[in-house]
């Protein structure tokens, strides 16, 4: 099979993975609407949750919130229930309205009383706090229009929420959060550790969106629909847990956050207000046994039983569910790869670690497959999903974790005994973000063939780009027959990354 066919097939498989996680795919067939009377309807989600109501409020946060809320709104319109929508809001990232599909989605929402606003991502800014204020206003306006006694709030939380919405704890400013967020993103820490810190310092995180909804309407039924962009689909890590109830007390959350910060940074390097927030002997816990004792004490002293969110959960008025995840995309990709004639394997949906090291892993995996020392049989596609990290140095260039990963793969394919063992075989790696963006670039990711660095001068350029964290510049100028950027445009979903390794 020619290199051009391998590349086309790999890109096709990536696109199938992304499309299977789209808002239409996630909502179609799962969200059912039945008009009962002119003034009421029955809502059903995936055959598991049903509710009859006279009032509906739509809230969406995250990079894909507009698309998912629009898909829900479309079902309500089709079933003649649009007049039951009392209002709502969608918060997405700046610049996303350039996409034609999202423009149509925004128009549908606006026509039905749903406000669409933009905020910053991946940086936290004043707009992040303004978003929370706007959500409060939208909830206040919608609550005034409620006509029945059992409204349903449909809350969609997608990736990107952590930056788009921020409500700093007392004594901590937006500037502090901006600085700390940048430090965390550059530290190489995984998203679960980063979110521990965010949940402690930000009132919107750790169930904050749920608390806001119930503060305006304590009797509401709330369905929290989560689009997972985290490994393991852990509810309290999706959007830093903004749409998820957590039974863990605030003291334990704060203690966990301090442990993360102590492991990553010197106290003097933290913003002064953040260091002050975590000061105090009560947070100094050493050893596993001490931690467990402290955890139990904090939980016993917690007043969470009285919280409005806990009462809603206990009374069946709160439902949380992951409506789409990376694994769904990988299964669709596997089926497509098989249709194209490959032996297709899913390696993992929980890939993590430094992007550079993962790139080396793919190089070794391809080599072992070529010399028949693995269980993968060519022609094959090895499909994987997850989210890697990049620990950046000072003054980095431009790129993203997917581009960095692919560049590492190409370099290690060149320096290893790869070329002498491959014969006439072809090996290609494609890695892309399912949201259509990779870092602060216009590319979703990158691709490279195993022999893309045969020219020594090109190899030196590649190694220099890797050291400078400047993979975007390298792939922008590379020979497209050997390597290049992957552009998908805005996808309307966000379920981490997908890699396809093709060996033929």
């Amino acid at each position: 099979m020619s290199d051009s066919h391998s590349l086309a097939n790999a890109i096709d498989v990536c696109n199938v993975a992304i499309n299977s996680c789209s808002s239409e795919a996630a909502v179609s067939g799962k969200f059912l609407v039945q008009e009962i009377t002119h003034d009421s309807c029955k809502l059903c989600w995936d055959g598991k949750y049903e509710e009859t109501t006279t009032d509906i409020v739509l809230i969406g946060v995250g990079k894909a919130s507009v698309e998912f809320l629009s898909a829900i709104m479309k079902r309500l319109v089709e079933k003649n229930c649009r007049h039951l929508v009392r209002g709502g809001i969608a918060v997405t990232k700046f610049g996303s309205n350039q996409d034609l599909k999202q423009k149509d989605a925004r128009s549908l929402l606006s026509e039905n009383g749903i406000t669409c606003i933009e905020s910053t991502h991946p940086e936290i800014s004043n707009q992040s706090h303004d978003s929370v204020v706007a959500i409060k206003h939208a909830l206040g306006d919608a609550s005034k229009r409620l006509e029945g006694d059992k409204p349903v709030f449909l809350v969609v939380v997608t990736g990107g929420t952590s930056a788009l919405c921020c409500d700093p704890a007392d004594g901590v400013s937006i500037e502090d959060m901006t600085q700390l967020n940048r430090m965390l993103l550059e530290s190489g820490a995984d998203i679960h550790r980063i979110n521990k810190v965010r949940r402690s310092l930000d009132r919107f995180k750790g169930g904050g969106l749920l608390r806001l909804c119930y503060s305006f309407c304590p009797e509401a039924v709330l369905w929290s629909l989560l689009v997972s962009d985290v490994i393991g689909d852990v509810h309290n890590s999706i959007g830093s847990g903004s749409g998820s109830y957590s039974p863990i007390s605030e003291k334990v959350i704060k203690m966990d956050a301090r442990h993360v910060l102590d492991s990553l940074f010197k106290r003097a390097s933290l913003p002064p207000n953040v260091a002050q927030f975590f000061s105090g002997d009560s947070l100094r816990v050493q050893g596993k046994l001490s931690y467990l004792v402290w955890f139990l004490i904090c939980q016993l002293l917690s007043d969470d039983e009285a919280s409005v969110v806990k009462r809603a959960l206990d009374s069946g008025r709160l439902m949380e569910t992951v409506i789409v995840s990376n694994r769904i995309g990988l299964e669709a990709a596997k089926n497509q790869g098989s249709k194209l004639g490959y032996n297709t394997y899913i390696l993992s949906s929980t890939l993590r670690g430094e992007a550079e090291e993962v790139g080396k892993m793919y190089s070794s995996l391809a080599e072992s497959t070529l010399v028949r020392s693995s269980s993968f049989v060519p022609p094959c596609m090895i499909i994987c999903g997850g989210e890697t990290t990049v620990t950046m140095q000072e003054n980095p260039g431009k790129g993203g974790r997917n581009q960095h990963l692919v560049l590492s793969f190409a370099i290690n394919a060149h320096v290893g005994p790869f070329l002498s063992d491959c014969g006439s075989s072809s090996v290609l790696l494609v890695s892309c973000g399912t949201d259509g963006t990779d870092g602060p670039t216009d590319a979703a990711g990158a691709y490279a063939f195993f022999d893309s660095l045969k020219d020594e001068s090109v190899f030196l350029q590649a190694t220099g780009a890797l050291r400078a964290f400047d993979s975007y510049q390298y792939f922008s100028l590379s020979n497209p027959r050997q390597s290049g950027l992957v552009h998908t445009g805005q996808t309307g979903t966000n379920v981490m990354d997908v890699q396809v390794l093709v060996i033929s």
Side-chain angles (χ1 to χ4, degrees):
M1 185 177 293
S2 68
D3 285 353
S4 60
H5 279 101
S6 294
L7 178 57
N9 288 339
I11 296 295
D12 179 41
V13 166
C14 284
N15 283 330
V16 167
I18 292 169
N19 291 336
S20 71
C21 296
S22 70
S23 56
E24 281 297 320
V27 173
S28 178
K30 290 186 178 180
F31 181 54
L32 303 180
V33 181
Q34 179 184 352
E35 184 181 20
I36 304 299
T37 68
H38 177 73
D39 296 321
S40 66
C41 70
K42 182 167 75 171
L43 306 178
C44 178
W45 190 272
D46 203 21
K48 301 176 182 177
Y49 310 100
E50 288 187 3
E51 201 65 53
T52 299
T53 186
T54 59
D55 305 285
I56 301 168
V57 178
L58 303 182
I59 305 293
V61 289
K63 290 187 285 185
S65 61
V66 169
E67 289 85 353
F68 278 84
L69 279 195
S70 174
I72 290 171
M73 189 72 236
K74 192 179 297 183
R75 300 295 175 274
L76 294 169
V77 171
E78 290 170 353
K79 297 301 181 179
N80 301 314
C81 295
R82 67 195 305 165
H83 61 286
L84 301 180
V85 176
R86 306 307 179 194
I89 190 170
V91 182
T92 188
K93 72 172 185 176
F94 276 116
S96 53
N97 64 343
Q98 301 302 312
D99 180 77
L100 184 60
K101 288 183 178 179
Q102 185 168 114
K103 284 183 179 180
D104 292 341
R106 289 188 184 210
S107 295
L108 177 62
L109 293 175
S110 297
E111 290 166 4
N112 292 279
I114 309 301
T115 304
C116 297
I117 66 170
E118 295 183 340
S119 183
T120 51
H121 184 278
E123 294 285 354
I124 289 175
S125 69
N126 287 325
Q127 283 85 0
S128 307
H129 184 257
D130 293 343
S131 297
V132 178
V133 174
I135 291 171
K136 292 178 181 178
H137 286 160
L139 287 168
D141 290 342
S143 64
K144 295 173 185 176
R145 302 189 188 102
L146 300 178
E147 298 181 4
D149 58 1
K150 202 174 184 182
V152 173
F153 284 47
L154 301 178
V155 177
V156 175
V157 179
T158 80
T161 297
S162 298
L164 296 171
C165 302
C166 181
D167 187 15
D170 291 338
V172 180
S173 69
I174 276 289
E175 291 74 21
D176 296 326
M177 294 298 292
T178 300
Q179 182 182 345
L180 182 63
N181 186 58
R182 189 178 297 120
M183 292 170 64
L184 289 167
L185 292 177
E186 294 176 356
S187 70
D190 66 49
I191 193 64
H192 296 290
R193 299 180 75 202
I194 290 174
N195 282 343
K196 283 185 177 182
V197 178
R198 289 169 169 168
R199 287 196 295 271
S200 178
L201 287 162
D202 187 340
R203 288 174 291 212
F204 190 80
K205 311 299 191 291
L209 178 54
L210 303 183
R211 291 190 291 272
L212 275 181
C213 290
Y214 283 119
S215 70
F216 284 94
C217 188
E219 70 276 11
V221 173
L222 196 153
W223 292 1
S224 185
L225 309 173
L226 309 176
V227 178
S228 177
D229 68 331
V230 299
I231 288 172
D233 302 334
V234 180
H235 289 201
N236 65 10
S237 280
I238 300 170
S240 298
S242 303
S244 176
Y245 166 74
S246 173
I248 307 301
S249 74
E250 289 186 10
K251 289 183 178 180
V252 172
I253 291 172
K254 191 172 183 179
M255 180 177 65
D256 282 345
R258 173 169 172 163
H259 285 174
V260 171
L261 290 175
D262 285 347
S263 70
L264 294 174
F265 312 112
K266 293 181 178 180
R267 187 61 56 90
S269 69
L270 294 173
N273 290 333
V274 172
Q276 178 63 33
F277 181 85
F278 288 106
S279 66
D281 292 336
S282 62
L283 290 174
R284 298 185 185 280
V285 180
Q286 302 293 330
K288 186 175 293 186
L289 181 60
S290 298
Y291 176 90
L292 290 174
V293 172
W294 179 251
F295 176 90
L296 291 171
I297 292 173
C298 289
Q299 290 298 99
L300 288 172
L301 296 177
S302 171
D303 62 352
D304 185 64
E305 291 297 322
S307 77
V308 64
V309 179
K310 181 65 163 57
R311 291 198 302 272
L313 183 69
D314 291 342
S315 62
R317 291 184 292 107
L318 172 61
M319 178 273 287
E320 294 177 26
T321 186
V322 173
I323 61 174
V324 68
S325 66
N326 187 268
R327 186 73 193 188
I328 291 172
L330 299 190
E331 292 291 349
K334 182 177 186 291
N335 292 337
Q336 182 66 10
S338 298
K339 290 178 182 178
L340 294 171
Y342 293 90
N343 298 314
T344 313
Y345 310 90
I346 295 178
L347 184 64
S348 174
S349 62
T350 59
L351 183 71
R352 71 189 81 188
E354 284 287 327
E356 186 171 341
E357 296 303 314
V358 173
K360 294 177 183 178
M361 180 274 292
Y362 276 118
S363 175
S364 298
L365 180 59
E367 185 173 346
S368 64
T369 300
L370 285 172
V371 298
R372 303 296 193 270
S373 63
S374 78
S375 58
F376 305 116
V377 181
C380 64
M381 280 188 173
I382 302 171
I383 300 168
C384 198
E387 187 171 274
T388 59
T389 55
V390 178
T391 305
M392 293 186 289
Q393 307 301 319
E394 291 184 4
N395 303 314
K398 187 176 182 179
R401 59 178 179 259
N402 290 284
Q403 296 161 54
H404 198 76
L405 185 158
V406 173
L407 189 55
S408 173
F409 161 81
I411 290 171
N412 284 279
H414 178 77
V415 299
F418 212 149
L419 295 175
S420 60
D421 291 331
C422 69
S424 59
S425 299
S426 174
V427 179
L428 163 73
L429 178 65
V430 177
S431 183
C432 60
T434 55
D435 62 350
T437 57
D438 185 33
T441 76
D442 61 357
Y447 68 89
F449 287 92
F450 73 105
D451 57 353
S452 60
L453 303 182
K454 286 189 294 186
D455 186 298
E456 191 63 24
S457 63
V458 177
F459 171 73
L460 292 175
Q461 291 172 10
T463 54
L466 189 72
R467 287 196 299 268
F469 302 91
D470 200 24
S471 52
Y472 180 83
Q473 179 73 5
Y474 171 80
F475 285 118
S476 297
L477 301 175
S478 64
N479 182 343
R481 296 182 63 181
Q482 298 174 335
S483 62
L485 296 168
V486 175
H487 290 94
T488 63
Q490 189 172 316
T491 65
T493 191
N494 185 16
V495 290
M496 300 190 290
D497 303 330
V498 173
Q499 288 93 37
V500 179
L501 180 65
V502 185
I503 304 172
S504 56

